[in-house]
Amino acid sequence: MRFRPGKRTSSSVSTRITLLDSATVHQGGPRRLWDELERIRHRLNREGGLPVYGARVRITPDGTLTFSRGGWSVTVA
């Protein structure tokens, strides 16, 4: 939407939300996806990157991948 002086707009913005702000979220269903995203966001802010960047990868003969960095690891079968 473009703002044109002298014209009325159908919506307005009263606050600006940044990456560091908290949001009010209503969750439903079996998993708390917002909680998972918040956990990842906090780690990203704290460490400056996700653990997969710079991780070591181990590939077994059956094709299983194990990524590890520091105390973090994940296996993809």
Side-chain angles (χ1 to χ4, degrees):
M1 172 186 334
R2 284 187 176 165
F3 175 74
R4 294 185 179 130
K7 299 243 180 195
R8 290 184 148 247
T9 59
S10 61
S11 64
S12 65
V13 177
S14 59
T15 60
R16 181 181 174 102
I17 297 174
T18 67
L19 191 62
L20 300 177
D21 292 328
S22 294
T24 301
V25 177
H26 301 278
Q27 300 185 71
R31 292 185 63 194
R32 297 298 187 217
L33 298 179
W34 186 260
D35 293 344
E36 292 295 317
L37 289 173
E38 283 286 288
R39 185 182 56 78
I40 292 167
R41 183 177 70 94
H42 287 302
R43 184 173 188 163
L44 179 62
N45 288 337
R46 184 178 62 246
E47 297 179 10
L50 296 174
V52 72
Y53 297 121
R56 293 181 178 265
V57 180
R58 182 174 158 236
I59 305 171
T60 61
D62 68 351
T64 301
L65 304 170
T66 301
F67 297 85
S68 62
R69 180 177 169 209
W72 172 84
S73 70
V74 66
T75 300
V76 180

